[in-house]
Amino acid sequence: MIALAVAAGVFAAAWLNIGFYYSLTASVLLVVLYLILVQKKFCYVAIKTIPRDVKALYTYIQILWITRKFSKLNLTVPDIFHDTVQKHPDKACFLFKDEVWTFKEVEDYSLRVTAVLKSQGVKKGDIVGLLFNNCPQMPAVWMGIARLGGVAPLINTNQRGNALLHSINVAKCDYLIFSDEYQSAVQDVAGQLSPSLKLYKFTHRDLNSSSGKSGEGGDAIQDFTNLLETTPPATWTLADGDGFEGKLLYIYTSGTTGLPKAAVISNARFVFMAAGIHFWRLNSSDIIYCPLPLYHTAGGVISVGQALILGCTVVLKAKFSASQYFPDCAKYNATAAHYIGEMCRYVLATPPSPADTQHNVRVIYGNGLRPQIWTEFVKRFNIKYVTEFYGATEGNANIANTDGTPGAIGFVSRIIPRVYPIAIIKVDQETGEPIRDQKGLCQLAEPNEPGVFIGKIQTRNPARQFLGYVDKSASEKKIVRDVFEYGDSAFISGDILVADELGYLYFRDRTGDTFRWRGENVSTTEVEAAVSRCADHRDAVVYGVLVPNIEGRAGMCGLVDAAGTLDLRALHERLARDLPVYARPVFMRIMDSVDMTGTFKMKKTDLQKEGFDPALVKKDKLYYLDPKLGQYLPLGKEEYEKIISGQIRL
C-alpha cells in the first residue's frame, strides 16, 4: 500500500510538471523497469506460465458454460443423454467385445430398466445398489434407475464378507441388482441383510437372443434378465429426480479411515468431472479405450461420461490386460485411452512388439503415471499427449496436468491464483491437521513445501459444492473451516502435495490411515479389524511400506503371536474370504508384542520405518505373500534382495 501511495504521488507530481501523456509514459517505463530489476522472479514465472494459465482459463470457462447451461435447464444425466441420443442415435456409444451398442440402443435398454423397476415398486428416493462387472448394460441400468428418481450405489466387485455387507448397509439399499458371477458373494451375506432388501440377479445375455431362465437364484432372488426380456420399454420422459443438483450415484471410497464410505455423486458433479477432462484434449469424434472398472469414478464417471454427456464412443473392457492394452486400441481404432499408474507400469513391462505403435492413440489420460516411467512410456508407445489429473471421489475439486510436464498432477496459477478455488496449505504431516497462524487461519504452503490439497466450498456453485458421503458425520471430518477468512470452509483431501515455483503440483503422500496399492485406497483400520478377527482377535497393526519401482505402498501387518501358535496358511484363507485382493497384507511381521500409546492406540511409526528389511528387523519373523501359491513364505536377506530387484513379483 505504501508503494502504491508513493507511486501515485510521483505520478501526480510528474503530471503537474510535464503533462499527463509524458507522465503516463514515464510511469509505464518505471513500472517495467521495476519489474525487471526488482521482480525478476515474478516476471520469469509469468513468462513461463502465461500460455498454460490462459489455456486453462479458457478451458475452465468452457466447463463452467456447459455446467451452467444444464443447471439452468435443471437436467439430470438421463435427460442430457437423451439430447446426445437425438444428435446421433445410430452412432456407436459403447463397444464391448464384439458388441456394438448405439446411443439409441443404450437409451432403449435404460427405458426397459425403468419400466421393470417401476413395476417392481422403485420410486423417487429409493436406493438401488448395483454389483456389476464391466459391460454396456451397467450405465444403462443406473440411468434407468435415475429416470425414476432413484440413486444407484456402484458397489466394488472385489468386496466380500463384512466389507460387502457394510457397502450394502451404509448406502441403505432398498434393492440390489447383481451380476450372476457374484451370486455366491451375495448369498454368503444374505442371512445378515435386511429382510426388506429385494434381490435381483442379472445374467449377461443379449436382449435379441432367445429368452429363457437365467439359472437358479433361490426363492428370495428374482430374475432381473427375465423381467427385462418380458417387459416393453417405458416411454421416454424427463427424469423424476431432484434435477441437476440432485443425487445420481454413490461411489465407494475408503476416505481416510474405516470401512468403505459411500460418496455422493450428483448430476452436477458427474458433468463437471466428465467435462473437466473432455475440454483439454478430447472431442466428440474420439473413440476412447477404457479398461478400468466402472464402479470407480475414473471409469464409471469420467470415461462413461465422455459418451453419455459429450457424445464420444467408449470401448469397455471386462478386465484389464497389459498385453492387450494397445492391441485392443488398434482393434477398436481408439484415438484416446484411459489409465491408472499401475496399468502403465504393467503395459511397459510387456515385451516390445510392433503393436506398440500400430495404433491411433494420440492422448492418454488418467492418474498415477509415475515420473520414473513417464518419458519412457510415451516414447515407446508413441503417445503425443498425456493428461494426468487428480481429484478425490468425494471431493469438490479436480486438477489436471495440461501440458505434459512429466510427473505433475496439475498446477495452481502463480499469477492468477484466485481464479480456480484450490490451494495447498501447511499441515502436520503426522496428523494431517492444518498449521494455523496467530489469527487461527490456515497458511499457504511455500513453493516446494509439502502441504495438503484443499478445494474451497462454494454452496451456490454446483461444481464447487461439497456433497461428501452418505454418512454426514464422516463428511464433516473432510471439511476444514476458517481457512483464509473467518467463516469460510474447504474440502481437505488428506493428500500431501508439493507445488514448485511455477505452480506445478506433485503428489507426495497420503495422511491419515489410508495408503494406495494397486490403484485402490486401502484403509489400515479396516484391514487391522479383518486380520484381528481372522487371527482369533490377536493385536494387529497395519501400515503401508514402499517397494522400489512399484506404485503406491504395499500393505504390511505386524501381528502379535507370543505363543507361536498362529497358522499363516489358515489366516490367508480366512483373509481371502473377508478382504479384496488389494487389501490383503503383502508382508507379515510376527511379533511378541506391540507398543501402545497412553490412549491404547498401537504405534506404527517405527514399524513403518523398518519396513520389510531383515537387516532392520532383528528379532521378529518376516513373511511375504506369494501371489501364485497364495500363501505367506519366509522373508530373509535373499528374498528381500530378490523383491528389491524385481525377481520376486508382488
Coordinates of all heavy atoms in Angstrom, one line a residue, residues 118-182:
K118 N -40.0 -49.8 -12.2 CA -41.3 -49.1 -11.8 C -42.3 -50.1 -11.5 O -43.1 -50.0 -10.5 CB -41.8 -48.2 -13.0 CG -43.0 -47.4 -12.6 CD -43.3 -46.4 -13.7 CE -44.5 -45.5 -13.2 NZ -44.9 -44.5 -14.3
S119 N -42.4 -51.2 -12.3 CA -43.3 -52.3 -12.0 C -43.0 -53.0 -10.7 O -43.9 -53.6 -10.0 CB -43.4 -53.3 -13.1 OG -42.2 -54.1 -13.2
Q120 N -41.7 -52.9 -10.2 CA -41.3 -53.6 -9.0 C -41.4 -52.6 -7.8 O -41.0 -53.0 -6.7 CB -39.8 -54.1 -9.1 CG -39.6 -55.1 -10.2 CD -40.4 -56.4 -9.8 OE1 -40.2 -57.0 -8.7 NE2 -41.2 -56.9 -10.7
G121 N -41.9 -51.4 -8.0 CA -42.2 -50.5 -6.9 C -41.1 -49.5 -6.7 O -41.2 -48.7 -5.7
V122 N -40.0 -49.4 -7.5 CA -39.0 -48.4 -7.3 C -39.6 -47.0 -7.6 O -40.2 -46.8 -8.6 CB -37.8 -48.7 -8.2 CG1 -36.7 -47.6 -8.1 CG2 -37.1 -50.0 -7.9
K123 N -39.3 -46.1 -6.7 CA -39.8 -44.7 -6.9 C -38.7 -43.7 -6.5 O -37.6 -44.1 -6.1 CB -41.0 -44.6 -6.0 CG -40.7 -44.8 -4.5 CD -42.0 -44.8 -3.7 CE -41.7 -45.0 -2.2 NZ -41.0 -46.2 -1.9
K124 N -39.1 -42.5 -6.6 CA -38.1 -41.4 -6.3 C -37.6 -41.5 -4.9 O -38.4 -41.7 -3.9 CB -38.8 -40.0 -6.5 CG -37.9 -38.8 -6.2 CD -38.7 -37.5 -6.5 CE -37.8 -36.3 -6.2 NZ -38.5 -35.0 -6.5
G125 N -36.3 -41.4 -4.8 CA -35.6 -41.5 -3.4 C -35.2 -42.9 -3.0 O -34.4 -43.0 -2.1
D126 N -35.6 -43.9 -3.8 CA -35.2 -45.3 -3.4 C -33.7 -45.5 -3.8 O -33.2 -44.9 -4.7 CB -36.0 -46.3 -4.2 CG -37.4 -46.5 -3.5 OD1 -37.6 -46.0 -2.4 OD2 -38.3 -47.1 -4.1
I127 N -33.1 -46.4 -3.1 CA -31.6 -46.7 -3.3 C -31.5 -48.1 -3.9 O -31.9 -49.1 -3.3 CB -30.8 -46.6 -2.0 CG1 -31.1 -45.3 -1.2 CG2 -29.4 -46.8 -2.3 CD1 -30.8 -44.1 -2.0
V128 N -31.0 -48.2 -5.1 CA -30.9 -49.5 -5.9 C -29.4 -49.8 -6.1 O -28.8 -49.2 -7.0 CB -31.7 -49.4 -7.2 CG1 -31.7 -50.8 -7.9 CG2 -33.1 -48.9 -7.0
G129 N -28.9 -50.6 -5.3 CA -27.5 -51.0 -5.4 C -27.1 -51.8 -6.6 O -28.0 -52.7 -7.0
L130 N -26.0 -51.6 -7.2 CA -25.5 -52.4 -8.3 C -24.2 -53.1 -8.0 O -23.2 -52.4 -7.6 CB -25.4 -51.5 -9.6 CG -26.6 -50.8 -10.1 CD1 -26.3 -50.0 -11.4 CD2 -27.7 -51.8 -10.4
L131 N -24.2 -54.4 -8.2 CA -22.9 -55.2 -8.1 C -22.7 -55.8 -9.4 O -23.1 -56.9 -9.7 CB -23.1 -56.2 -7.0 CG -21.8 -57.0 -6.6 CD1 -20.7 -56.1 -6.1 CD2 -22.2 -58.1 -5.6
F132 N -22.1 -55.0 -10.3 CA -21.9 -55.4 -11.8 C -20.5 -55.4 -12.2 O -19.7 -54.6 -11.7 CB -22.6 -54.3 -12.6 CG -24.0 -54.7 -13.0 CD1 -25.0 -54.8 -12.0 CD2 -24.4 -54.8 -14.3 CE1 -26.3 -55.0 -12.4 CE2 -25.7 -55.1 -14.7 CZ -26.7 -55.2 -13.7
N133 N -20.1 -56.3 -13.1 CA -18.8 -56.2 -13.7 C -19.0 -55.3 -14.9 O -20.1 -54.9 -15.3 CB -18.2 -57.6 -14.1 CG -19.1 -58.3 -15.1 OD1 -20.1 -57.8 -15.5 ND2 -18.7 -59.6 -15.4
N134 N -17.9 -55.0 -15.6 CA -17.9 -54.0 -16.7 C -18.7 -54.6 -17.9 O -18.5 -55.7 -18.4 CB -16.5 -53.7 -17.2 CG -15.8 -52.8 -16.4 OD1 -16.2 -52.5 -15.2 ND2 -14.6 -52.3 -16.8
C135 N -19.7 -53.8 -18.3 CA -20.5 -54.1 -19.5 C -21.3 -52.9 -19.9 O -21.6 -52.0 -19.0 CB -21.4 -55.3 -19.2 SG -22.6 -55.1 -17.9
P136 N -21.8 -52.8 -21.1 CA -22.6 -51.6 -21.5 C -23.9 -51.5 -20.7 O -24.5 -50.4 -20.6 CB -22.9 -51.9 -23.0 CG -21.8 -52.8 -23.4 CD -21.5 -53.7 -22.3
Q137 N -24.4 -52.7 -20.3 CA -25.7 -52.6 -19.5 C -25.6 -51.9 -18.2 O -26.6 -51.3 -17.8 CB -26.2 -54.1 -19.2 CG -26.6 -54.9 -20.5 CD -25.5 -55.7 -21.0 OE1 -24.3 -55.3 -20.9 NE2 -25.8 -56.9 -21.6
M138 N -24.4 -51.8 -17.6 CA -24.3 -51.2 -16.3 C -24.7 -49.7 -16.3 O -25.5 -49.3 -15.5 CB -22.9 -51.4 -15.7 CG -22.7 -50.8 -14.3 SD -21.0 -51.1 -13.7 CE -21.1 -50.2 -12.1
P139 N -24.1 -48.9 -17.1 CA -24.6 -47.5 -17.1 C -26.0 -47.3 -17.6 O -26.7 -46.4 -17.2 CB -23.6 -46.8 -18.1 CG -22.9 -47.8 -18.9 CD -22.9 -49.1 -18.0
A140 N -26.4 -48.2 -18.5 CA -27.8 -48.2 -18.9 C -28.8 -48.5 -17.7 O -29.8 -47.9 -17.6 CB -28.1 -49.2 -20.1
V141 N -28.4 -49.4 -16.9 CA -29.2 -49.8 -15.7 C -29.3 -48.6 -14.7 O -30.4 -48.2 -14.3 CB -28.7 -51.0 -15.0 CG1 -29.3 -51.2 -13.7 CG2 -28.9 -52.3 -15.9
W142 N -28.1 -48.0 -14.4 CA -28.2 -46.9 -13.5 C -28.9 -45.7 -14.0 O -29.5 -44.9 -13.3 CB -26.9 -46.6 -12.8 CG -25.7 -46.0 -13.5 CD1 -24.5 -46.7 -13.8 CD2 -25.6 -44.7 -14.1 NE1 -23.7 -45.8 -14.4 CE2 -24.2 -44.6 -14.6 CE3 -26.4 -43.6 -14.2 CZ2 -23.8 -43.5 -15.3 CZ3 -25.9 -42.4 -14.8 CH2 -24.6 -42.4 -15.3
M143 N -28.9 -45.5 -15.4 CA -29.7 -44.4 -15.9 C -31.2 -44.7 -15.8 O -32.0 -43.8 -15.6 CB -29.3 -44.2 -17.4 CG -28.1 -43.3 -17.6 SD -27.9 -42.6 -19.2 CE -27.6 -44.1 -20.2
G144 N -31.5 -46.0 -16.0 CA -32.9 -46.4 -15.8 C -33.4 -46.1 -14.4 O -34.5 -45.8 -14.1
I145 N -32.5 -46.4 -13.4 CA -32.8 -46.1 -12.0 C -33.0 -44.6 -11.8 O -33.9 -44.1 -11.2 CB -31.7 -46.6 -11.1 CG1 -31.6 -48.1 -11.2 CG2 -31.9 -46.2 -9.7 CD1 -30.4 -48.7 -10.6
A146 N -32.0 -43.8 -12.4 CA -32.1 -42.3 -12.2 C -33.3 -41.7 -12.8 O -33.8 -40.7 -12.3 CB -30.8 -41.7 -12.8
R147 N -33.8 -42.3 -13.9 CA -35.0 -41.8 -14.5 C -36.2 -41.8 -13.6 O -37.1 -41.0 -13.7 CB -35.3 -42.5 -15.8 CG -36.3 -41.8 -16.7 CD -36.5 -42.5 -18.0 NE -35.3 -42.3 -18.9 CZ -34.4 -43.2 -19.2 NH1 -34.5 -44.4 -18.7 NH2 -33.4 -42.9 -20.0
L148 N -36.2 -42.8 -12.7 CA -37.3 -42.9 -11.7 C -37.0 -42.0 -10.5 O -37.8 -42.0 -9.5 CB -37.5 -44.4 -11.3 CG -38.0 -45.3 -12.3 CD1 -37.9 -46.7 -11.9 CD2 -39.5 -45.0 -12.7
G149 N -35.9 -41.4 -10.4 CA -35.5 -40.6 -9.3 C -34.8 -41.4 -8.2 O -34.6 -40.9 -7.1
G150 N -34.4 -42.6 -8.5 CA -33.6 -43.4 -7.6 C -32.1 -43.1 -7.6 O -31.7 -42.3 -8.5
V151 N -31.4 -43.6 -6.7 CA -29.9 -43.4 -6.6 C -29.3 -44.8 -6.7 O -29.8 -45.7 -6.0 CB -29.5 -42.7 -5.3 CG1 -28.0 -42.5 -5.2 CG2 -30.3 -41.3 -5.2
A152 N -28.2 -44.9 -7.4 CA -27.5 -46.2 -7.6 C -26.2 -46.2 -7.0 O -25.2 -45.6 -7.5 CB -27.4 -46.5 -9.1
P153 N -26.0 -46.9 -5.9 CA -24.6 -47.2 -5.3 C -23.9 -48.2 -6.2 O -24.5 -49.2 -6.5 CB -24.9 -47.7 -3.9 CG -26.3 -47.4 -3.6 CD -27.0 -47.4 -5.0
L154 N -22.7 -47.9 -6.7 CA -21.9 -48.8 -7.5 C -20.9 -49.5 -6.6 O -19.9 -49.0 -6.3 CB -21.2 -48.0 -8.6 CG -22.1 -47.0 -9.5 CD1 -21.3 -46.4 -10.6 CD2 -23.3 -47.8 -10.1
I155 N -21.3 -50.7 -6.3 CA -20.5 -51.5 -5.3 C -19.3 -52.1 -5.9 O -19.4 -52.7 -7.0 CB -21.4 -52.5 -4.6 CG1 -22.6 -51.9 -3.9 CG2 -20.6 -53.4 -3.6 CD1 -23.6 -52.8 -3.4
N156 N -18.2 -51.9 -5.2 CA -16.9 -52.5 -5.7 C -17.0 -54.0 -5.7 O -17.4 -54.7 -4.7 CB -15.8 -52.1 -4.7 CG -14.4 -52.5 -5.1 OD1 -14.2 -53.6 -5.7 ND2 -13.4 -51.7 -4.8
T157 N -16.8 -54.6 -6.9 CA -17.0 -56.1 -7.1 C -15.9 -56.9 -6.4 O -16.1 -58.1 -6.4 CB -17.0 -56.4 -8.6 OG1 -15.8 -55.9 -9.2 CG2 -18.1 -55.7 -9.3
N158 N -14.9 -56.3 -5.8 CA -13.9 -57.0 -5.0 C -14.4 -57.3 -3.6 O -13.8 -58.1 -2.9 CB -12.6 -56.3 -5.0 CG -11.9 -56.3 -6.3 OD1 -11.5 -57.4 -6.9 ND2 -11.7 -55.1 -6.9
Q159 N -15.4 -56.6 -3.2 CA -15.8 -56.7 -1.8 C -16.4 -58.1 -1.5 O -17.2 -58.6 -2.3 CB -16.9 -55.6 -1.5 CG -16.4 -54.2 -1.7 CD -15.3 -53.7 -0.8 OE1 -14.8 -54.5 0.1 NE2 -14.9 -52.5 -1.0
R160 N -16.1 -58.6 -0.3 CA -16.6 -59.8 0.1 C -16.9 -59.7 1.6 O -16.4 -58.9 2.3 CB -15.6 -61.0 -0.1 CG -15.3 -61.3 -1.6 CD -16.5 -61.9 -2.3 NE -16.2 -62.2 -3.7 CZ -16.2 -61.4 -4.7 NH1 -16.5 -60.1 -4.5 NH2 -15.9 -61.8 -5.9
G161 N -17.7 -60.6 2.1 CA -18.0 -60.7 3.5 C -18.4 -59.5 4.2 O -19.3 -58.8 3.7
N162 N -17.7 -59.1 5.3 CA -18.1 -57.9 6.1 C -18.1 -56.6 5.3 O -18.9 -55.8 5.4 CB -17.2 -57.8 7.3 CG -17.7 -56.8 8.3 OD1 -18.9 -56.7 8.6 ND2 -16.8 -55.9 8.7
A163 N -17.1 -56.5 4.4 CA -16.9 -55.3 3.5 C -18.1 -55.1 2.6 O -18.7 -54.0 2.4 CB -15.6 -55.3 2.8
L164 N -18.6 -56.2 2.0 CA -19.7 -56.2 1.1 C -21.0 -55.9 1.9 O -21.8 -55.1 1.4 CB -19.9 -57.5 0.4 CG -21.1 -57.7 -0.5 CD1 -21.1 -56.6 -1.6 CD2 -21.1 -59.1 -1.2
L165 N -21.1 -56.5 3.0 CA -22.3 -56.3 3.9 C -22.4 -54.8 4.2 O -23.4 -54.2 4.2 CB -22.2 -57.2 5.1 CG -23.4 -57.1 6.1 CD1 -24.7 -57.6 5.5 CD2 -23.1 -57.8 7.4
H166 N -21.2 -54.3 4.6 CA -21.2 -52.9 5.0 C -21.5 -51.9 3.8 O -22.3 -51.0 4.0 CB -19.8 -52.5 5.5 CG -19.5 -51.1 5.8 ND1 -19.9 -50.4 6.9 CD2 -19.0 -50.1 5.0 CE1 -19.6 -49.2 6.9 NE2 -19.1 -48.9 5.7
S167 N -21.0 -52.2 2.6 CA -21.3 -51.4 1.5 C -22.8 -51.3 1.2 O -23.3 -50.3 0.8 CB -20.5 -51.9 0.3 OG -19.1 -51.8 0.5
I168 N -23.5 -52.5 1.3 CA -24.9 -52.5 1.1 C -25.7 -51.7 2.1 O -26.6 -50.9 1.9 CB -25.4 -54.0 1.0 CG1 -24.8 -54.7 -0.2 CG2 -26.9 -54.0 0.9 CD1 -25.0 -56.2 -0.1
N169 N -25.2 -51.9 3.4 CA -26.0 -51.3 4.5 C -25.7 -49.8 4.6 O -26.6 -49.0 5.0 CB -25.6 -52.0 5.8 CG -26.2 -53.4 5.9 OD1 -27.1 -53.7 5.2 ND2 -25.6 -54.2 6.7
V170 N -24.4 -49.4 4.4 CA -24.1 -48.0 4.6 C -24.9 -47.1 3.6 O -25.2 -45.9 3.9 CB -22.6 -47.7 4.5 CG1 -22.1 -47.8 3.1 CG2 -22.2 -46.4 5.2
A171 N -25.2 -47.6 2.4 CA -25.9 -46.9 1.4 C -27.4 -47.0 1.6 O -28.2 -46.3 1.0 CB -25.6 -47.4 0.0
K172 N -27.8 -47.8 2.6 CA -29.2 -48.0 2.9 C -30.0 -48.5 1.7 O -31.1 -47.9 1.4 CB -29.8 -46.7 3.5 CG -29.1 -46.2 4.7 CD -29.7 -44.9 5.2 CE -28.9 -44.4 6.4 NZ -29.3 -43.0 6.9
C173 N -29.5 -49.5 1.1 CA -30.1 -50.0 -0.2 C -31.5 -50.6 0.1 O -31.7 -51.4 1.0 CB -29.2 -51.1 -0.8 SG -27.7 -50.5 -1.5
D174 N -32.4 -50.3 -0.8 CA -33.8 -50.9 -0.8 C -33.8 -52.0 -1.8 O -34.6 -53.0 -1.6 CB -34.8 -49.8 -1.2 CG -34.8 -48.6 -0.3 OD1 -35.1 -48.7 0.9 OD2 -34.5 -47.5 -0.8
Y175 N -33.0 -52.0 -2.8 CA -32.9 -53.1 -3.8 C -31.4 -53.3 -4.1 O -30.6 -52.4 -3.9 CB -33.6 -52.6 -5.1 CG -35.1 -52.2 -4.9 CD1 -35.4 -51.0 -4.5 CD2 -36.1 -53.1 -5.3 CE1 -36.7 -50.6 -4.3 CE2 -37.4 -52.7 -5.2 CZ -37.7 -51.5 -4.7 OH -39.1 -51.1 -4.5
L176 N -31.1 -54.5 -4.6 CA -29.8 -54.8 -5.0 C -29.9 -55.7 -6.3 O -30.5 -56.7 -6.3 CB -29.0 -55.6 -3.9 CG -27.6 -56.1 -4.3 CD1 -26.7 -54.9 -4.5 CD2 -27.0 -57.0 -3.3
I177 N -29.2 -55.2 -7.3 CA -29.1 -56.0 -8.6 C -27.7 -56.4 -8.8 O -26.8 -55.5 -8.7 CB -29.6 -55.1 -9.8 CG1 -31.0 -54.5 -9.6 CG2 -29.6 -55.9 -11.1 CD1 -31.4 -53.5 -10.6
F178 N -27.5 -57.7 -8.9 CA -26.1 -58.2 -9.0 C -25.9 -59.1 -10.2 O -26.9 -59.8 -10.6 CB -25.7 -58.9 -7.7 CG -26.5 -60.1 -7.4 CD1 -26.2 -61.4 -7.9 CD2 -27.7 -60.0 -6.6 CE1 -27.0 -62.5 -7.6 CE2 -28.5 -61.0 -6.3 CZ -28.1 -62.3 -6.8
S179 N -24.7 -59.1 -10.8 CA -24.4 -60.0 -11.9 C -24.3 -61.4 -11.3 O -23.9 -61.6 -10.2 CB -23.1 -59.6 -12.5 OG -23.1 -58.3 -13.1
D180 N -24.6 -62.4 -12.2 CA -24.7 -63.8 -11.7 C -23.4 -64.3 -11.2 O -23.4 -65.1 -10.3 CB -25.2 -64.7 -12.8 CG -24.4 -64.6 -14.1 OD1 -23.5 -63.8 -14.2 OD2 -24.8 -65.3 -15.1
E181 N -22.3 -63.7 -11.6 CA -21.0 -64.2 -11.1 C -20.7 -63.8 -9.7 O -19.8 -64.3 -9.0 CB -19.8 -63.7 -12.0 CG -19.7 -62.2 -12.1 CD -20.4 -61.7 -13.4 OE1 -21.6 -62.0 -13.6 OE2 -19.7 -61.0 -14.2
Y182 N -21.6 -62.9 -9.1 CA -21.4 -62.5 -7.7 C -22.5 -63.1 -6.8 O -22.6 -62.7 -5.7 CB -21.4 -61.0 -7.6 CG -20.3 -60.4 -8.5 CD1 -20.7 -59.6 -9.6 CD2 -19.0 -60.6 -8.3 CE1 -19.7 -59.0 -10.4 CE2 -18.0 -60.1 -9.1 CZ -18.4 -59.3 -10.2 OH -17.4 -58.8 -11.0

